[in-house]
Amino acid sequence: MDKMSKIVGIVDWINGPVVKAVDIHSVEMMELVEIGDDRLIGEIIELDQDRATIQVYESTTGLKPGSYIYGSGIPLSVELGPGLIGNIYDGIQRPLKAISEHSGNFIHKGVKVRPLDGQKKWPFSPAVSEGDQVGAGSILGVVRETPLFEHRILTPVDIEGTVEFIQPEGEYSIDEPIAWIRTLQGSCPVRMVHRWPVRLARPYLRRLMPEEPLITGQRVIDTFFPIAKGGTAGIPGGFGTGKTITQHQLSKWCDADIIVYIGCGERGNEMTGVLMDFPKLMDLKRGRPLMERTILIANTSDMPLAAREASIYTGITIAEYYRDMGYDVALMADSTSRWAEALREISGRLEEMPAEEGFPAYLATRLAKFYERAGRVQTLGGRIGSVSAICAVSPPGGDFSEPVTQHTKRFVRSFWGLNKELASARYFPAIHYMESYSEYLDFVQAWWTRHVDPNWKLLRDEAMQILQQDYKLQRIVKLIGEDALPDAQRLILEGARILKNAFLQQSAFDEVDMYAVPKKQFLMLRAIMHFYHRASEVIRAHIPISRIMQLPVINELNRMKEKIPNGNTDQFDLLFQQIDQCMEELEKESMAIL
Amino acid sequence: MNISSMNSSLTAGSSSRTAGIGVLGKEYIGVSKVSGPLLFIEGISGIGFDEVVEIRMKNNQVRHGRVLITSRTSALIEVFEGTGGLTISTTRVRFQGQPLKIPVSTDMLGRVFNGLGIPIDGGPPPIYQEKRDVNGAPINPVVRDYPEDFIQTGISTIDCMNTLVRGQKLPIFSGSGLPHNELAAQIVRQARVRGQSEKFVVVFAAMGVKNDVAQMFRQSFEESGVLSRVVMFLNLANDPSIERLVTPRSALTIAEYLAFEHGMHVLVILTDMTNYCEALREISTSKGEVPSRKGYPGYLYSDLASIYERAGRIINCPGSITQIPILTMPNDDITHPIPDLTGYITEGQIVLDRELAKRNIYPPINVLPCLSRLMNDGIGADKTREDHANISNQLYAAYSYVKKVETLASIIGESELSERDKKYLEFGKMFEEEFVRQGQNENRSINQTLDLAWKIAAKLPIEELIRVSEAQIQKYYPKKTEQDEEESCLTD
């Protein structure tokens, strides 16, 4: 960044991460600047004649009025190229591993380290020949970024023309031109690396319908409240309800090609947990360590606040970059509430008029703009890729009526409401079936019909019915107790109990249970529903419910999640037989009485 | 005074009143405005943000402060010891040119300091090895080591159901009049890493606590013979409230020094965080900031995080910092901003319950809203026992059902309950009386605790135990005869 030498203004006033400057000249709105002797990184967020307001991404302790401000001529951008995968960055894409080697265990201000390694040689193989016509998004060549991941080097969005020169197969660093393209404006070099402004969505050809489910292996999500590839989901929940565990589970098991995990204002130890676990866990699809498909962005709660605001843009820009190569990317942001609070704090220091609960009035617009960057698209190069955004929300006091949750609800299409009561009974995932919804059900139905079973939706709706009736009945049970209900209604309670214990509840720590393939999910649900239907018949034959509740097969149902492994779905036939057998016995009994 | 008034006076430069530039920085005589804990000074230049200042009064008494907002010609300063007695014309302000630093040294062990790190036990200032910025710096997440060493506190509800691990931050959410101090003192007395005899070094920071509470802690440290391994920072209820903003930071600065420079295992007790937050609100209101919930500033979360996140372990460093912040929930409301934001940052919480306390159950820990996020990594076959996670979940599931049954019983009467529900009620009573309740000096080993857990779980019909595996039932479920004997003992 040698361009960073031009003095564009002088610091006048400092209040935490907000700095006001005077004598400002030749800077743009949203331009990246450096401040003072420590060269703190900041961004221009307001211009008023020769005065400017800057939000600073590092601690301003010790910064003095009168210090110089240096311009860069470019907006806040990220560096995109091979080497992103497996890395951990702070909110403005500074590589934390390299920083720790550079300046030790604690993060001090003013550290400048390049996001990508400029020395490393990457194995490149060309995909075009000289004389070929290329346009924005065409693949020029590929790089093995990890042993099984093909990083596609694309023609930049503003270049169209004839390949004049392309490097032969070999190892190159990211800064070496790998191709020259003759355009109408002349010859342009293309490197493996380029910069992109974080606040600008990367272009694509057109949007596609979100038809394919993002399979997560979590039953309550896949079966009850699915999310599609390119979809958006919000996970609101008070503290301790399992937002982070749910997001970790999804980043571990969902069938995306790339995971971008943003720890936005959360705990340092959680990022450490990911850093320690992911290299050891294997990706189900590729059989390689999960870290080889993961990119981490960490702005822990003790790191500078303004960088928290930037972190989710840094994350989604990287996600879009991999989408453009034709991959399915899943972005996890934990938590957007911290991002909103950062907005609020900056807004407060700018003395803007607050709207609800002190949040600025533009909160909803910003949220909408962010969520709309998710989607399933046809890229400029004609490939199909997607960015799915799954974002945690931390409502104060667990109260979903607060502004961030409410606005999030407007822009996401899957809503997984976490419930405190379920969590305190150690019932996980604590996604409450009555508070949650998914608008993707109808979109993904065709996929389930094609790949699993045509009756999937029917069965799912039926199970949902039982849960709904149970929810209503529970209010009565609270007043008069379960025993006072007629047997038919008690069966609904029992059915719902089995659904909750055997199906919805899923252990993140049990080897077998932590991931369930769609086929297993379907068979489990079918087994429970089969039991329920057979039991209804038996009840109609005047067998008391107490007899049904004593059946040992209930225990089998409760334990099938951990007893029947994913591959071994034949065991379900046995379970069906067991159910039929014990029900027949009960029926025989009733015949005998008659 | 507020920020905008300060803005308008930015350009109103007055004549320079520099009295002289000493070794320690620039000194000015006279200030423009004194308001609440804040001091406004004009006609100055080159004052850094967050710089520390020394304020000398007419009678040569010295106070300390910190720059909150700075501009080219003026600065807004918060005064830690309060502004009483300051004058407009004779107050001398010396800017130190650096953020607030406190001296750190291993000689600080066994000593008592005020919130700013000045000794108040009558002894001489300790010979310090270096001076450190009280604000610290964020630990790079890359070098953090995941906390996973089980700490045995000897308290069943914590060890079994909300396990504390080394490097964790686990607050106690309490209410006024509940025995949170006694509980914290008991943890300090009993905490051990299993299989190691080494005791913790304790850094104790009191913010706005009563004199006798500080005394109680001191006595408890003395009795358990750890006093020489304790550093105390006292800001008592009658001490200036703004000093509270620095107290936890001073404490954590020395804790970091002992842990990461000298490889000690440090247990930090912060009490009472509610008083800290009140002081923060006071400053924020004086500055005229836009308040968020209940008048607390919008940055309460990040401010608290800058304290709580200073716990943990670092790869290749032998030491660790374990934090037990204590806070009293105003009106016992867990959704109040202070406990709420704390819970979002810390790795779980221990919640004390007034109803249990009224029934004279000590420690009155209500396990249902409690949580230890790092528990799963600190327990298991090689750390505690292989059944630990499951039996704990079983107790949670069963006890939360007990609460439902109790509500039902209060409506339809206990006798109308089903047999199954009656069993649960019986389980609930035994759980509270035998598992939760224990003596202030009762130190249960983890094996004792887990065996007790099984004994109580066995009150339930065996088919209700669906959170434990069949193999574990085989191994740990108490044999019928023993259980019967115990039952008969109980009824006696």
Side-chain angles (χ1 to χ4, degrees):
Chain A
M1 290 193 198
D2 19 75
K3 276 179 284 178
M4 286 274 197
S5 50
K6 201 177 66 180
I7 295 170
V8 296
I10 293 168
V11 174
D12 178 47
W13 181 92
I14 306 158
N15 180 3
V18 175
V19 164
K20 292 191 179 171
V22 289
D23 294 343
I24 282 286
H25 55 88
S26 56
V27 293
E28 293 166 20
M29 186 70 176
M30 307 318 272
E31 181 174 328
L32 190 71
V33 292
E34 291 188 354
I35 304 154
D37 298 339
D38 285 335
R39 299 276 183 144
L40 308 177
I41 296 172
E43 190 180 6
I44 306 263
I45 54 171
E46 194 179 81
L47 280 173
D48 175 12
Q49 299 196 7
D50 68 338
R51 304 173 67 83
T53 309
I54 302 166
Q55 71 175 359
V56 185
Y57 292 124
E58 296 178 75
S59 158
T60 50
T61 294
L63 183 65
K64 290 187 169 137
S67 305
Y68 290 128
I69 295 165
Y70 306 87
S72 70
I74 51 165
L76 180 66
S77 314
V78 287
E79 204 169 58
L80 301 169
L84 290 167
I85 293 181
N87 230 320
I88 171 166
Y89 294 105
D90 78 352
I92 49 171
Q93 214 206 3
R94 284 183 300 181
L96 290 172
K97 268 182 213 160
I99 286 180
S100 77
E101 283 155 24
H102 183 271
S103 56
N105 295 338
F106 294 87
I107 302 175
H108 301 284
K109 57 188 174 178
V111 183
K112 300 272 176 296
V113 184
R114 190 177 169 181
L116 294 175
D117 186 351
Q119 308 295 316
K120 185 166 174 161
K121 299 273 188 187
W122 294 94
F124 170 80
S125 24
V128 291
S129 341
E130 278 151 30
D132 284 359
Q133 282 291 319
V134 290
S138 316
I139 300 177
L140 294 174
V142 296
V143 168
R144 284 251 159 256
E145 188 170 357
T146 70
L148 287 179
F149 188 83
E150 190 184 84
H151 188 112
R152 297 166 184 155
I153 307 293
L154 307 180
T155 315
V157 294
D158 51 351
I159 288 184
E160 195 177 341
T162 321
V163 178
E164 223 174 34
F165 167 78
I166 181 94
Q167 292 278 17
E169 185 142 355
E171 300 209 322
Y172 305 96
S173 74
I174 52 173
D175 293 324
E176 288 171 74
I178 46 115
W180 283 83
I181 293 164
R182 169 158 297 282
T183 67
L184 292 173
Q185 287 77 35
S187 228
C188 298
V190 177
R191 298 180 172 82
M192 288 193 228
V193 66
H194 71 280
R195 294 187 74 83
W196 190 268
V198 294
R199 296 185 201 279
L200 185 66
R202 288 174 65 90
Y204 50 82
L205 204 60
R206 63 191 181 96
R207 278 185 97 99
L208 302 171
M209 277 306 199
E211 285 155 350
E212 215 180 294
L214 182 76
I215 296 297
T216 64
Q218 310 303 305
R219 291 184 291 265
V220 59
I221 293 175
D222 290 351
T223 300
F224 280 91
F225 311 106
I227 175 174
K229 290 203 170 101
T232 48
I235 319 180
F239 61 83
T241 49
K243 290 182 297 295
T244 306
I245 293 264
T246 309
Q247 290 206 322
H248 280 194
Q249 283 300 93
L250 297 190
S251 359
K252 282 175 191 166
W253 310 125
C254 82
D255 64 342
D257 299 301
I258 292 285
I259 306 288
V260 178
Y261 190 101
I262 310 168
C264 178
E266 290 291 312
R267 305 172 184 90
N269 278 334
E270 281 169 4
M271 297 314 287
T272 311
V274 174
L275 278 176
M276 299 220 161
D277 281 355
F278 279 31
K280 286 182 244 160
L281 292 166
M282 291 295 156
D283 175 1
L284 293 168
K285 206 159 147 190
R286 295 196 173 82
R288 295 287 308 171
L290 277 175
M291 207 59 207
E292 289 182 7
R293 67 162 196 183
T294 310
I295 299 157
L296 298 172
I297 314 282
N299 176 279
T300 56
S301 55
D302 54 343
M303 279 155 84
L305 178 113
R308 195 162 306 158
E309 194 269 330
S311 64
I312 67 164
Y313 295 106
T314 301
I316 201 150
T317 310
I318 293 175
E320 285 174 338
Y321 172 65
Y322 281 96
R323 173 203 70 191
D324 288 348
M325 295 178 205
Y327 290 114
D328 293 315
V329 186
L331 172 128
M332 314 280 160
D334 185 13
S335 127
T336 48
S337 293
R338 306 297 162 230
W339 168 81
E341 281 161 13
L343 269 191
R344 172 167 73 185
E345 181 170 346
I346 305 268
S347 160
R349 294 200 197 240
L350 291 173
E351 292 166 51
E352 290 171 341
M353 183 70 87
E356 263 176 289
E357 293 196 17
F359 286 106
Y362 46 78
L363 172 68
T365 338
R366 296 275 174 94
L367 271 173
K369 233 173 155 177
F370 168 73
Y371 281 113
E372 278 306 297
R373 286 176 76 170
R376 184 156 172 266
V377 303
Q378 188 170 20
T379 67
L380 292 178
R383 289 166 300 273
I384 291 175
S386 68
V387 173
S388 319
I390 298 161
C391 302
V393 182
S394 321
D399 170 14
F400 288 2
S401 66
E402 59 92 37
V404 184
T405 316
Q406 281 311 310
H407 289 312
T408 301
K409 245 180 159 168
R410 289 164 54 197
F411 308 123
V412 299
R413 301 191 69 186
S414 280
F415 186 82
W416 304 326
L418 297 178
N419 183 280
K420 193 140 212 165
E421 218 172 291
L422 291 180
S424 67
R426 294 303 185 263
Y427 177 102
F428 289 116
I431 296 175
H432 198 276
Y433 38 88
M434 297 311 291
E435 282 166 22
S436 309
Y437 60 80
S438 165
E439 294 175 20
Y440 296 111
L441 269 172
D442 296 331
F443 289 103
V444 301
Q445 190 182 353
W447 184 93
W448 280 86
T449 302
R450 207 164 49 242
H451 290 93
V452 184
D453 195 287
N455 287 322
W456 171 74
K457 180 81 180 346
L458 207 69
L459 206 62
R460 182 257 172 211
D461 289 348
E462 230 177 342
M464 200 61 208
Q465 276 279 296
I466 296 179
L467 290 172
Q468 231 141 23
Q469 289 173 340
D470 167 74
Y471 189 70
K472 278 192 199 150
L473 286 175
Q474 286 296 345
R475 274 182 249 166
I476 304 171
V477 170
K478 256 188 200 154
L479 293 176
I480 59 168
E482 211 176 307
D483 290 352
L485 293 177
D487 277 3
Q489 292 190 337
R490 288 188 64 190
L491 180 66
I492 294 174
L493 297 181
E494 185 62 21
R497 189 152 36 226
I498 297 175
L499 273 172
K500 288 183 234 171
N501 287 335
F503 191 82
L504 295 177
Q505 191 186 78
Q506 188 167 3
S507 165
F509 303 101
D510 185 272
E511 289 281 308
V512 179
D513 192 30
M514 59 182 156
Y515 180 86
V517 294
K519 185 86 191 163
K520 179 178 166 186
Q521 298 190 19
F522 174 76
L523 289 172
M524 282 175 71
L525 194 61
R526 194 156 78 181
I528 297 168
M529 294 311 293
H530 183 65
F531 172 85
Y532 180 75
H533 290 309
R534 292 293 281 123
S536 315
E537 286 164 22
V538 170
I539 297 254
R540 275 199 292 275
H542 304 290
I543 298 284
I545 181 107
S546 53
R547 295 299 313 277
I548 293 172
M549 287 168 78
Q550 283 160 4
L551 290 175
V553 76
I554 293 183
N555 195 26
E556 290 299 312
L557 284 171
N558 279 334
R559 292 192 187 270
M560 65 184 165
K561 54 184 173 186
E562 65 216 25
K563 273 191 169 169
I564 306 181
N566 277 320
N568 211 342
T569 39
D570 296 348
Q571 286 187 30
F572 281 101
D573 297 339
L574 206 68
L575 192 59
F576 274 85
Q577 285 169 18
Q578 268 177 289
I579 295 171
D580 283 334
Q581 207 180 342
C582 59
M583 292 296 179
E584 272 159 28
E585 272 166 30
L586 283 181
E587 272 165 346
K588 264 183 222 152
E589 245 177 72
S590 95
M591 299 296 253
I593 298 164
L594 284 172
Chain B
M1 166 175 325
N2 58 33
I3 306 170
S4 37
S5 75
M6 190 180 154
N7 264 333
S8 57
S9 57
L10 271 177
T11 40
S14 48
S15 59
S16 173
R17 301 178 313 275
T18 314
I21 299 172
V23 221
L24 279 169
K26 299 170 188 166
E27 186 171 84
Y28 296 91
I29 307 171
V31 297
S32 301
K33 191 170 173 180
V34 184
S35 157
L38 301 178
L39 199 70
F40 183 54
I41 178 166
E42 285 175 297
I44 54 167
S45 68
I47 303 307
F49 177 70
D50 211 17
E51 208 172 275
V52 69
V53 294
E54 205 178 86
I55 299 148
R56 199 170 285 274
M57 296 169 59
K58 211 162 52 184
N59 55 7
N60 263 343
Q61 200 191 331
V62 174
R63 289 189 185 168
H64 302 83
R66 183 163 63 176
V67 176
L68 289 180
I69 302 180
T70 168
S71 81
R72 280 185 299 172
T73 52
S74 59
L76 184 70
I77 296 160
E78 63 178 357
V79 184
F80 297 131
E81 295 95 335
T83 48
L86 290 188
T87 59
I88 291 282
S89 54
T90 56
T91 303
R92 287 164 171 260
V93 178
R94 183 188 287 275
F95 291 90
Q96 311 276 32
Q98 56 179 26
L100 184 60
K101 290 188 175 185
I102 64 157
V104 289
S105 119
T106 42
D107 287 349
M108 290 169 82
L109 288 168
R111 301 288 307 272
V112 186
F113 302 88
N114 73 0
L116 300 169
I118 298 163
I120 50 169
D121 53 1
I127 299 163
Y128 61 85
Q129 282 131 354
E130 59 179 286
K131 274 188 145 185
R132 289 198 167 194
D133 182 353
V134 291
N135 295 311
I139 300 179
N140 191 330
V142 172
V143 300
R144 273 186 188 269
D145 199 359
Y146 204 71
E148 51 187 11
D149 296 329
F150 167 69
I151 296 177
Q152 180 178 303
T153 63
I155 296 162
S156 294
T157 35
I158 297 179
D159 288 354
C160 171
M161 304 178 75
N162 298 285
T163 314
L164 177 67
V165 297
R166 202 147 65 178
Q168 186 175 16
K169 37 194 181 289
L170 188 66
I172 299 175
F173 287 7
S174 181
S176 325
L178 296 181
H180 42 269
N181 293 319
E182 287 76 6
L183 179 62
Q186 187 175 5
I187 293 175
V188 168
R189 280 198 305 273
Q190 301 182 352
R192 295 277 185 290
V193 167
R194 211 180 175 204
Q196 292 182 16
S197 54
E198 186 189 355
K199 277 188 182 177
F200 284 92
V201 165
V202 180
V203 173
F204 175 83
M207 289 150 280
V209 303
K210 289 166 283 253
N211 232 306
D212 40 352
V213 170
Q215 201 52 41
M216 188 280 291
F217 271 102
R218 205 191 141 82
Q219 214 162 21
S220 157
F221 295 150
E222 205 164 5
E223 276 164 18
S224 51
V226 292
L227 197 59
S228 63
R229 296 170 67 81
V230 179
V231 189
M232 290 181 101
F233 289 86
L234 298 185
N235 168 277
L236 300 176
N238 52 355
D239 288 335
S241 65
I242 305 305
E243 194 185 291
R244 273 163 220 167
L245 296 178
V246 186
T247 312
R249 294 189 166 83
S250 301
L252 287 160
T253 305
I254 174 74
E256 277 172 358
Y257 177 76
L258 296 176
F260 302 132
E261 296 294 325
H262 291 273
M264 299 180 187
H265 293 294
V266 187
L267 192 63
V268 180
I269 310 275
L270 305 170
T271 180
D272 170 338
M273 287 306 288
T274 305
N275 295 334
Y276 170 86
C277 297
E278 300 285 336
L280 198 67
R281 177 165 68 177
E282 194 181 330
I283 274 287
S284 168
T285 342
S286 321
K287 275 161 81 182
E289 287 170 339
V290 180
S292 114
R293 287 173 71 209
K294 298 210 171 177
Y296 291 94
Y299 50 80
L300 182 60
Y301 177 84
S302 30
D303 190 275
L304 285 174
S306 71
I307 295 172
Y308 296 141
E309 275 292 313
R310 291 171 83 175
R313 294 172 50 193
I314 290 180
I315 295 170
N316 295 332
C317 278
S320 66
I321 298 179
T322 309
Q323 261 190 39
I324 303 184
I326 298 169
L327 57 88
T328 43
M329 300 181 277
N331 201 20
D332 293 350
D333 176 12
I334 199 168
T335 66
H336 183 280
I338 300 172
D340 190 49
L341 295 179
T342 298
Y344 273 119
I345 305 163
T346 52
E347 283 138 353
Q349 65 276 338
I350 303 289
V351 184
L352 302 193
D353 183 82
R354 200 166 293 278
E355 201 203 306
L356 286 174
K358 278 196 182 133
R359 283 164 46 202
N360 214 8
I361 292 178
Y362 172 91
I365 296 176
N366 178 8
V367 292
L368 292 180
C370 291
L371 173 72
S372 165
R373 289 166 192 274
L374 302 180
M375 172 164 172
N376 280 307
D377 300 285
I379 61 174
D382 47 341
K383 287 163 182 147
T384 52
R385 226 165 71 177
E386 86 281 5
D387 58 320
H388 191 152
N390 285 354
I391 187 69
S392 164
N393 280 339
Q394 183 65 64
L395 290 183
Y396 264 113
Y399 189 57
S400 86
Y401 187 72
V402 168
K403 290 289 144 189
K404 276 191 194 159
V405 176
E406 277 177 2
T407 327
L408 183 62
S410 67
I411 298 169
I412 60 170
E414 235 175 84
S415 52
E416 294 297 309
L417 294 174
S418 66
E419 277 312 306
R420 175 170 174 265
D421 289 354
K422 279 181 190 156
K423 284 271 182 213
Y424 267 98
L425 271 194
E426 211 177 310
F427 159 84
K429 263 180 211 127
M430 190 163 167
F431 177 78
E432 286 167 0
E433 292 296 333
E434 292 188 33
F435 193 78
V436 178
R437 183 199 290 279
Q438 68 184 87
Q440 282 201 25
N441 288 310
E442 188 180 352
N443 191 352
R444 295 182 190 154
S445 78
I446 183 64
N447 274 326
Q448 282 172 326
T449 290
L450 291 177
D451 289 343
L452 186 60
W454 275 98
K455 185 181 133 192
I456 290 163
K459 278 275 151 203
L460 297 172
I462 206 158
E463 59 273 13
E464 292 290 325
L465 305 182
I466 57 168
R467 301 293 182 98
V468 288
S469 76
E470 280 161 0
Q472 286 163 354
I473 292 182
Q474 284 286 319
K475 191 166 170 192
Y476 296 109
Y477 192 79
K479 301 286 169 286
K480 205 71 197 162
T481 46
E482 283 174 34
Q483 192 196 345
D484 289 343
E485 274 168 25
E486 273 151 16
E487 246 166 355
S488 58
C489 289
L490 271 179
T491 44
D492 290 346

